[in-house]
């Protein structure tokens, strides 16, 4: 079992920045992949960014160059630094942890970008 606790969402103007944090109850080195997904109203949940235990990263085309995923192993925390935010980035953001045959989700953090 892995518990994921998120923080850092909020309201920001277009062009601004926010950082999301997700703290895991399990050592993140033992988690195959950690990532961030988002779901906007009326849309499907989509991958934003992910990072493997080997520190390999992958980003959605829509956030490439603006968002950065990183980890702090001492704190068992994964971050999503979001810069140059756009109104279309407005969504609930979910932290995700993937192990063999198991997937865990955080509670979700609302990010709202005003124009």
């Amino acid at each position: 079992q892995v518990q994921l606790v998120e923080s850092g969402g909020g309201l920001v103007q277009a062009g601004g920045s926010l950082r999301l944090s997700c703290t895991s109850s399990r050592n993140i080195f033992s988690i195959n992949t950690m990532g961030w997904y988002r779901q906007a109203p009326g849309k499907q949940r989509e991958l934003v960014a992910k990072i493997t235990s080997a520190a390999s990263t992958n980003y959605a085309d829509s956030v490439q160059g603006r968002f950065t995923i990183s980890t702090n192993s001492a704190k068992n925390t994964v971050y999503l630094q979001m810069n140059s935010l756009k109104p279309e980035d407005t969504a609930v953001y979910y932290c995700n942890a993937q192990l063999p045959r198991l997937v865990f989700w955080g509670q979700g953090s609302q990010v709202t970008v005003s124009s």
Side-chain angles (χ1 to χ4, degrees):
Q1 191 75 9
V2 179
Q3 293 183 328
L4 303 172
V5 179
E6 301 177 27
S7 62
L11 173 65
V12 66
Q13 289 189 330
S17 298
L18 281 174
R19 188 178 77 161
L20 300 178
S21 301
C22 172
T23 300
S24 168
S25 63
R26 179 170 174 160
N27 189 315
I28 61 173
F29 281 129
S30 68
I31 299 174
N32 294 36
T33 303
M34 294 198 72
W36 290 95
Y37 288 70
R38 67 186 181 187
Q39 188 166 18
K43 295 187 177 181
Q44 289 188 330
R45 191 172 297 189
E46 62 176 1
L47 172 68
V48 176
K50 61 182 180 181
I51 185 167
T52 70
S53 55
S56 175
T57 59
N58 184 264
Y59 295 91
D61 289 343
S62 59
V63 307
Q64 183 76 45
R66 299 188 298 122
F67 291 10
T68 302
I69 189 169
S70 62
T71 60
N72 182 326
S73 58
K75 296 183 178 180
N76 288 324
T77 298
V78 60
Y79 303 99
L80 185 68
Q81 178 66 43
M82 303 182 291
N83 298 330
S84 302
L85 282 160
K86 304 175 181 180
E88 51 263 44
D89 294 318
T90 295
V92 178
Y93 284 69
Y94 295 92
C95 180
N96 168 278
Q98 297 181 21
L99 290 86
R101 298 181 300 278
L102 293 172
V103 177
F104 299 93
W105 294 94
Q107 80 276 14
S109 296
Q110 178 68 48
V111 171
T112 302
V113 185
S114 63
S115 57

